[in-house]
């Protein structure tokens, strides 16, 4: 987990300027964390929070040097499989507008208005899981 938090810190706090004090929160204690590991290094991560039949994915991050190689897609597909095996029927997430196209390609649909989270514009997106 320390490597997961280090990657998140690099991506969200250092690269994107998200305030350090909100990057790790109490949801991390109960979330399921996925990590993509290459040569012993964590190069990607996300977390899953289960709320009844709805899973929420967050903190999706791939290290800058490993982007556009399919790591993010693989993590999202693993998250959907994990969520489904735990009874989830759908996934929701708050997408940064700069990552909107990434989630759209994976079948997520936007809903509602753009909102601010940590100083970055986001939009909610949702996808029904195949049961
Ligand atoms: C967004 C992010 C997770 C994508 O991870 P990645 O490993 O580079 O993505 P992949 O290589 O699996 O890309 C899958 C597809 O999405 C596309 N894609 C990747 N990032 C995209 C983006 N920001 N916008 C639009 N499309 C994108 C890829 O081109 C690829 O398309 P293809 O299927 O046609 O080949 C990564 O860029 C990242 O960590 N960014 C910084 C943190 C961040 O913004 N996280 C999201 C918070 S909501």
């Amino acid at each position: 987990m320390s490597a997961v938090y280090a990657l998140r810190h690099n991506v969200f706090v250092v690269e994107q300027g998200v305030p350090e004090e909100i990057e790790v929160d109490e949801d991390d204690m109960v979330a399921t964390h996925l990590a993509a590991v290459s040569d012993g290094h964590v190069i990607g991560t996300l977390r899953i929070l289960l709320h009844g039949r709805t899973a929420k994915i967050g903190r999706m991050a791939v290290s800058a040097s490993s982007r556009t190689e399919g790591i993010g897609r693989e993590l999202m597909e693993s998250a959907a499989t994990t969520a489904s095996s735990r009874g989830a029927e759908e996934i929701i997430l708050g997408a940064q507008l700069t990552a909107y196209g990434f989630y759209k390609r994976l079948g997520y649909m936007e809903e509602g208005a753009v909102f601010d989270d940590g100083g970055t514009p986001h939009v909610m997106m949702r996808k029904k899981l195949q049961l």
Side-chain angles (χ1 to χ4, degrees):
M1 278 309 297
S2 62
V4 163
Y5 287 130
L7 172 59
R8 280 172 36 178
H9 182 89
N10 278 341
V11 171
F12 295 116
V13 178
V14 177
E15 187 182 325
Q16 297 192 340
V18 171
E20 185 164 20
E21 57 275 18
I22 65 165
E23 204 291 299
V24 175
D25 63 19
E26 64 273 14
D27 285 342
D28 283 313
M29 300 303 130
V30 294
T32 298
H33 299 266
L34 300 191
V37 180
S38 175
D39 291 332
H41 298 286
V42 172
I43 56 169
T45 188
L46 59 73
R47 74 180 186 187
I48 308 166
L49 290 158
L50 204 54
H51 302 289
R53 299 280 178 199
T54 300
K56 185 173 186 193
I57 291 178
R59 302 300 195 272
M60 169 82 245
V62 173
S63 66
S65 58
S66 299
R67 289 180 195 156
T68 70
E69 294 174 6
I71 308 295
R73 174 191 290 277
E74 262 195 76
L75 275 166
M76 289 296 293
E77 287 170 352
S78 294
T81 303
T82 301
S84 182
S85 73
R86 295 182 183 181
E89 295 174 353
E90 63 174 2
I91 293 176
I92 59 166
L93 55 87
Q96 291 184 12
L97 291 192
T98 51
Y100 167 86
F102 167 70
Y103 297 115
K104 188 87 176 175
R105 274 179 166 78
L106 294 169
Y108 289 78
M109 301 298 293
E110 69 273 22
E111 56 184 43
V114 173
F115 62 96
D116 177 273
D117 186 10
T120 313
H122 285 70
V123 66
M124 291 307 297
M125 300 187 82
R126 186 183 302 266
K127 181 180 179 178
K128 300 281 178 202
L129 294 173
Q130 308 289 341
L131 296 177

